[in-house]
Amino acid sequence: MTHSPLPLRRRVLGAVVLLSGALVLTGCGDSDGGGSTRQDVASLHSDAPTGKASTITAPDADAGRPQLRLDSSDAERDHYWHIYATCLKDHGHKMLPQRGPDSIDQTDQSPLAKAATKACAGKLPLQPPELERSTNPHYDDDYRAYVKCLNRKGLKVTALPDNSGWTYDGQTTMSQARQTEVDKSCTMEAFGGKTR
Protein backbone atom coordinates (compact mmCIF):
# COMPACT_ATOMS: atom_id res chain seq x y z
CA MET A 1 0.00 0.00 0.00
CA THR A 2 1.33 3.41 -0.87
CA HIS A 3 0.48 6.69 0.74
CA SER A 4 0.97 10.33 -0.07
CA PRO A 5 0.73 13.27 2.32
CA LEU A 6 -2.92 13.73 1.38
CA PRO A 7 -5.92 12.16 3.11
CA LEU A 8 -7.40 9.09 1.45
CA ARG A 9 -10.41 10.88 -0.06
CA ARG A 10 -8.14 13.30 -1.91
CA ARG A 11 -5.78 10.53 -3.01
CA VAL A 12 -8.72 8.51 -4.35
CA LEU A 13 -10.21 11.50 -6.12
CA GLY A 14 -6.81 12.41 -7.51
CA ALA A 15 -6.39 8.89 -8.82
CA VAL A 16 -9.77 9.12 -10.49
CA VAL A 17 -8.74 12.23 -12.29
CA LEU A 18 -5.44 10.67 -13.33
CA LEU A 19 -7.24 7.61 -14.60
CA SER A 20 -9.70 9.77 -16.44
CA GLY A 21 -6.86 11.53 -18.21
CA ALA A 22 -7.85 15.06 -17.27
CA LEU A 23 -5.84 15.83 -14.17
CA VAL A 24 -4.88 19.46 -14.13
CA LEU A 25 -3.10 19.32 -10.79
CA THR A 26 0.34 17.84 -11.14
CA GLY A 27 1.78 19.04 -14.30
CA CYS A 28 -0.88 17.33 -16.16
CA GLY A 29 -1.52 18.99 -13.50
CA ASP A 30 1.23 18.69 -10.35
CA SER A 31 -1.45 17.06 -8.17
CA ASP A 32 -2.75 19.58 -7.17
CA GLY A 33 -1.36 16.65 -9.35
CA GLY A 34 -1.61 19.49 -8.22
CA GLY A 35 -1.17 22.98 -8.61
CA SER A 36 -0.44 24.09 -12.09
CA THR A 37 1.10 27.47 -12.57
CA ARG A 38 -0.18 30.03 -15.01
CA GLN A 39 1.69 29.95 -18.29
CA ASP A 40 1.85 32.62 -20.95
CA VAL A 41 1.03 30.88 -24.19
CA ALA A 42 1.81 33.69 -26.56
CA SER A 43 3.08 37.17 -26.34
CA LEU A 44 1.91 39.27 -29.25
CA HIS A 45 3.15 42.78 -29.77
CA SER A 46 1.18 45.19 -31.89
CA ASP A 47 1.32 48.84 -32.64
CA ALA A 48 -1.56 50.10 -30.59
CA PRO A 49 -2.78 53.66 -31.13
CA THR A 50 -0.85 54.74 -28.05
CA GLY A 51 2.36 53.40 -29.55
CA LYS A 52 2.77 50.85 -26.73
CA ALA A 53 3.07 47.12 -27.26
CA SER A 54 0.32 44.95 -25.85
CA THR A 55 0.68 41.44 -24.48
CA ILE A 56 -2.00 38.81 -24.91
CA THR A 57 -1.88 35.83 -22.58
CA ALA A 58 -3.97 32.71 -22.41
CA PRO A 59 -6.51 32.54 -19.60
CA ASP A 60 -5.34 30.70 -16.51
CA ALA A 61 -6.66 27.12 -16.66
CA ASP A 62 -6.87 27.08 -12.86
CA ALA A 63 -8.81 30.33 -12.54
CA GLY A 64 -11.84 29.85 -10.34
CA ARG A 65 -10.75 26.49 -8.94
CA PRO A 66 -10.80 26.29 -5.15
CA GLN A 67 -7.29 26.55 -3.68
CA LEU A 68 -6.66 24.43 -0.60
CA ARG A 69 -4.08 25.53 1.98
CA LEU A 70 -1.96 23.44 4.31
CA ASP A 71 -4.03 24.79 7.18
CA SER A 72 -7.42 24.22 5.51
CA SER A 73 -9.79 22.57 7.95
CA ASP A 74 -11.12 19.07 7.31
CA ALA A 75 -14.58 20.59 6.89
CA GLU A 76 -13.31 23.01 4.24
CA ARG A 77 -11.47 20.26 2.34
CA ASP A 78 -14.45 17.92 2.55
CA HIS A 79 -16.75 20.69 1.32
CA TYR A 80 -14.73 21.29 -1.85
CA TRP A 81 -14.19 17.58 -2.57
CA HIS A 82 -17.93 17.01 -2.08
CA ILE A 83 -18.73 19.72 -4.63
CA TYR A 84 -16.34 18.10 -7.12
CA ALA A 85 -17.66 14.56 -6.52
CA THR A 86 -21.27 15.77 -6.79
CA CYS A 87 -20.46 17.44 -10.10
CA LEU A 88 -18.95 14.21 -11.44
CA LYS A 89 -21.99 12.25 -10.31
CA ASP A 90 -24.41 14.79 -11.81
CA HIS A 91 -22.56 14.50 -15.13
CA GLY A 92 -22.85 10.71 -15.20
CA HIS A 93 -19.57 9.49 -13.69
CA LYS A 94 -20.07 6.16 -11.93
CA MET A 95 -19.92 6.30 -8.15
CA LEU A 96 -19.46 3.69 -5.41
CA PRO A 97 -22.30 4.57 -3.02
CA GLN A 98 -21.54 1.58 -0.80
CA ARG A 99 -18.26 3.31 0.12
CA GLY A 100 -19.83 6.70 0.71
CA PRO A 101 -21.65 9.44 -1.17
CA ASP A 102 -18.44 10.97 -2.58
CA SER A 103 -16.69 7.75 -3.60
CA ILE A 104 -15.90 7.79 -7.29
CA ASP A 105 -15.53 4.60 -9.31
CA GLN A 106 -11.89 4.82 -10.36
CA THR A 107 -12.37 2.12 -12.98
CA ASP A 108 -14.94 4.13 -14.94
CA GLN A 109 -13.16 4.98 -18.19
CA SER A 110 -16.33 5.46 -20.20
CA PRO A 111 -16.75 8.43 -22.54
CA LEU A 112 -19.37 9.74 -20.10
CA ALA A 113 -16.86 9.63 -17.23
CA LYS A 114 -14.25 11.42 -19.33
CA ALA A 115 -16.78 14.07 -20.30
CA ALA A 116 -17.80 14.46 -16.63
CA THR A 117 -14.19 14.90 -15.58
CA LYS A 118 -13.72 17.58 -18.22
CA ALA A 119 -16.98 19.33 -17.30
CA CYS A 120 -16.06 19.38 -13.61
CA ALA A 121 -12.39 20.36 -13.97
CA GLY A 122 -13.15 23.86 -12.69
CA LYS A 123 -14.42 22.42 -9.41
CA LEU A 124 -11.42 20.16 -8.75
CA PRO A 125 -9.64 21.62 -5.71
CA LEU A 126 -6.05 22.70 -6.20
CA GLN A 127 -3.75 21.14 -3.65
CA PRO A 128 -1.70 23.42 -1.42
CA PRO A 129 1.24 24.75 -3.46
CA GLU A 130 3.67 23.38 -0.87
CA LEU A 131 2.56 19.82 -1.71
CA GLU A 132 3.22 20.17 -5.42
CA ARG A 133 6.62 19.64 -6.98
CA SER A 134 5.77 22.16 -9.72
CA THR A 135 5.14 24.98 -7.22
CA ASN A 136 7.51 24.05 -4.39
CA PRO A 137 11.19 24.12 -5.36
CA HIS A 138 12.01 22.40 -2.05
CA TYR A 139 9.47 19.61 -2.49
CA ASP A 140 11.92 16.68 -2.36
CA ASP A 141 13.67 17.98 0.76
CA ASP A 142 10.32 18.68 2.39
CA TYR A 143 9.04 15.22 1.47
CA ARG A 144 12.09 13.54 2.99
CA ALA A 145 11.52 15.58 6.17
CA TYR A 146 7.87 14.49 6.13
CA VAL A 147 8.80 10.79 5.96
CA LYS A 148 11.40 11.22 8.74
CA CYS A 149 8.71 12.87 10.87
CA LEU A 150 6.28 9.99 10.25
CA ASN A 151 8.92 7.50 11.35
CA ARG A 152 9.91 9.60 14.38
CA LYS A 153 6.26 9.68 15.48
CA GLY A 154 5.89 5.90 15.21
CA LEU A 155 4.43 5.35 11.74
CA LYS A 156 7.16 3.23 10.18
CA VAL A 157 7.24 3.92 6.45
CA THR A 158 9.61 4.01 3.50
CA ALA A 159 9.41 6.72 0.83
CA LEU A 160 8.95 5.71 -2.79
CA PRO A 161 12.03 6.53 -4.91
CA ASP A 162 10.32 9.50 -6.59
CA ASN A 163 8.88 10.89 -3.32
CA SER A 164 5.34 10.53 -4.66
CA GLY A 165 4.17 8.47 -1.70
CA TRP A 166 5.28 5.90 0.84
CA THR A 167 4.76 2.27 1.78
CA TYR A 168 4.43 0.76 5.23
CA ASP A 169 7.70 -0.62 6.57
CA GLY A 170 6.10 -3.77 7.96
CA GLN A 171 2.72 -3.92 9.63
CA THR A 172 1.44 -1.03 11.67
CA THR A 173 -0.58 -1.28 14.85
CA MET A 174 -1.36 2.43 14.82
CA SER A 175 -5.07 3.21 14.59
CA GLN A 176 -6.38 4.99 11.50
CA ALA A 177 -7.31 8.01 13.62
CA ARG A 178 -3.77 8.24 15.01
CA GLN A 179 -2.27 7.79 11.53
CA THR A 180 -4.38 10.70 10.28
CA GLU A 181 -3.26 12.83 13.23
CA VAL A 182 0.42 11.98 12.64
CA ASP A 183 0.05 12.61 8.89
CA LYS A 184 -1.44 16.08 9.43
CA SER A 185 1.15 16.99 12.04
CA CYS A 186 4.08 15.88 9.87
CA THR A 187 2.67 17.56 6.77
CA MET A 188 2.52 20.89 8.61
CA GLU A 189 5.95 20.36 10.19
CA ALA A 190 7.72 19.40 6.96
CA PHE A 191 5.93 21.51 4.34
CA GLY A 192 4.66 24.51 6.28
CA GLY A 193 5.81 27.18 8.63
CA LYS A 194 9.32 27.62 7.28
CA THR A 195 10.93 30.73 6.03
CA ARG A 196 13.15 30.12 3.06
Side-chain angles (χ1 to χ4, degrees):
M1 177 177 181
T2 62
H3 179 78
S4 69
L6 305 173
L8 180 59
R9 172 180 277 162
R10 285 169 288 175
R11 290 193 316 266
V12 169
L13 288 171
V16 169
V17 175
L18 279 171
L19 290 173
S20 299
L23 180 64
V24 182
L25 290 179
T26 59
C28 48
D30 142 14
S31 4
D32 194 288
S36 299
T37 57
R38 183 176 175 270
Q39 296 181 349
D40 290 347
V41 172
S43 182
L44 302 175
H45 299 284
S46 64
D47 294 325
T50 61
K52 295 182 179 178
S54 64
T55 301
I56 300 172
T57 58
D60 187 347
D62 294 336
R65 288 177 58 193
Q67 174 68 65
L68 298 176
R69 301 175 322 276
L70 281 179
D71 64 350
S72 292
S73 68
D74 289 343
E76 183 180 5
R77 286 184 192 107
D78 290 347
H79 171 74
Y80 289 123
W81 285 108
H82 174 72
I83 289 170
Y84 177 67
T86 300
C87 180
L88 290 177
K89 180 180 177 183
D90 291 348
H91 283 83
H93 200 295
K94 290 182 185 172
M95 306 298 281
L96 299 172
Q98 66 275 20
R99 291 189 185 167
D102 295 337
S103 289
I104 300 162
D105 184 347
Q106 298 178 44
T107 64
D108 186 2
Q109 294 295 305
S110 69
L112 194 57
K114 291 176 183 177
T117 302
K118 185 176 181 179
C120 299
K123 297 183 185 324
L124 179 64
L126 291 164
Q127 291 305 307
E130 297 89 346
L131 298 181
E132 304 295 345
R133 184 174 270 119
S134 64
T135 54
N136 178 358
H138 306 283
Y139 176 84
D140 287 318
D141 291 336
D142 292 348
Y143 195 84
R144 284 188 284 275
Y146 163 75
V147 169
K148 284 181 185 177
C149 177
L150 294 175
N151 281 287
R152 186 179 73 245
K153 293 190 177 193
L155 186 59
K156 302 304 179 194
V157 300
T158 302
L160 297 178
D162 64 354
N163 292 327
S164 64
W166 52 257
T167 59
Y168 287 100
D169 192 7
Q171 288 206 301
T172 184
T173 56
M174 191 179 286
S175 71
Q176 185 63 45
R178 177 67 181 141
Q179 286 183 43
T180 299
E181 180 182 313
V182 167
D183 179 73
K184 286 180 185 178
S185 171
C186 289
T187 298
M188 287 301 293
E189 179 180 313
F191 290 95
K194 295 182 201 169
T195 47
R196 300 217 191 263

